[in-house]
């Protein structure tokens, strides 16, 4: 699908639409003054055609396609400048049009690693929180953000076959171990 990718896909996350027709991946490209930009592209699996998914006004990474194949949730970071450090948010992108909106405009944390709920109504994600980490849920329609777990550092969010949310949890006192995150009772894991 990407015969001329060279280093543009190194260490980039990707996801495949539920119907297998589209691959969405992060991509690195040099900008006009030689800095590295991070964007998202959608690749048609049959034709290999590639199209940019998000504008070049920010950096995008960690795409996750919704269960119905309509949306992509991704981490969006403002491009830093010498005058200003950028912000990071969770962005919702229409896979067909590329139009997007901020899912977490009022969140004063840096969301990362989005994973869709099986019913497609929510997105789970991690953040750095008080020197460790947290697992959150944002409701796509309302933008309501709920902290689900904050009793350690969490990585590798995944939805199990039965629809439950899992992660690896570690802390200064424990090595990483798999845990199930309760999605109905905030703070319980």
């Amino acid at each position: 699908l990407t015969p001329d990718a060279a280093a543009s896909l190194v260490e980039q996350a990707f996801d495949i639409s539920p119907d297998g027709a589209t691959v969405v991946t992060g991509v690195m490209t040099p900008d006009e003054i030689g800095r590295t930009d991070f964007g998202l592209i959608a690749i048609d699996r049959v034709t290999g055609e590639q199209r940019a998914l998000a504008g070049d006004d920010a950096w995008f990474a960690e795409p996750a396609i919704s269960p119905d194949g309509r949306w992509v949730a991704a981490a969006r970071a403002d491009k830093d400048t010498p005058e200003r450090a950028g912000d990071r948010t969770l962005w919702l992108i229409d896979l067909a049009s590329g139009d997007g909106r901020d899912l977490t405009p009022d969140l004063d944390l840096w969301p990362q690693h989005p994973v869709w709920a099986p019913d497609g109504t929510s997105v789970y994600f991690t953040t750095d929180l008080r020197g460790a980490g947290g697992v959150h849920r944002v409701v796509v329609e309302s933008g309501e953000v709920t902290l689900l777990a904050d009793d350690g550092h969490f990585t590798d969010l995944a939805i199990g076959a039965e629809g439950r949310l899992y992660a690896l949890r570690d802390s200064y006192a424990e090595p990483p171990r798999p845990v199930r995150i309760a999605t109905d009772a905030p703070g319980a894991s």
Side-chain angles (χ1 to χ4, degrees):
L1 289 179
T2 57
D4 300 321
S8 67
L9 300 178
V10 172
E11 295 185 10
Q12 296 299 304
F14 69 92
D15 200 4
I16 302 169
S17 63
D19 64 4
T22 306
V23 176
V24 175
T25 184
V27 61
M28 295 183 302
T29 57
D31 70 8
E32 65 279 355
I33 61 171
R35 296 177 303 186
T36 302
D37 273 347
F38 300 91
L40 295 177
I41 58 172
I43 305 170
D44 184 287
R45 190 185 54 79
V46 173
T47 67
E49 180 183 336
Q50 299 179 16
R51 63 184 169 84
L53 249 192
D56 61 0
D57 61 329
W59 292 322
F60 293 88
E62 304 168 346
I65 301 175
S66 63
D68 65 3
R70 180 174 176 202
W71 303 102
V72 176
R76 178 191 184 275
D78 293 336
K79 292 182 180 181
D80 297 335
T81 66
E83 297 80 28
R84 179 182 67 81
D87 194 12
R88 188 172 173 121
T89 189
L90 200 62
W91 205 251
L92 182 69
I93 304 165
D94 184 298
L95 184 55
S97 71
D99 294 335
R101 69 175 172 92
D102 193 344
L103 274 176
T104 56
D106 299 322
L107 186 67
D108 193 22
L109 299 168
W110 286 26
Q112 54 196 351
H113 312 299
V115 174
W116 283 88
D119 64 5
T121 62
S122 300
V123 177
Y124 304 111
F125 59 95
T126 62
T127 64
D128 292 331
L129 183 66
R130 295 188 293 274
V135 177
H136 307 263
R137 173 184 59 226
V138 61
V139 177
V140 173
E141 189 172 311
S142 69
E144 177 186 358
V145 176
T146 303
L147 175 63
L148 299 175
D150 67 350
D151 60 338
H153 173 255
F154 298 88
T155 63
D156 301 285
L157 295 180
I159 301 295
E162 75 293 345
R164 293 185 173 163
L165 180 64
Y166 294 90
L168 288 180
R169 180 198 174 276
D170 64 82
S171 74
Y172 67 90
E174 296 178 296
R177 64 182 171 90
V179 295
R180 184 176 69 219
I181 307 292
T183 58
D184 56 351
S189 61

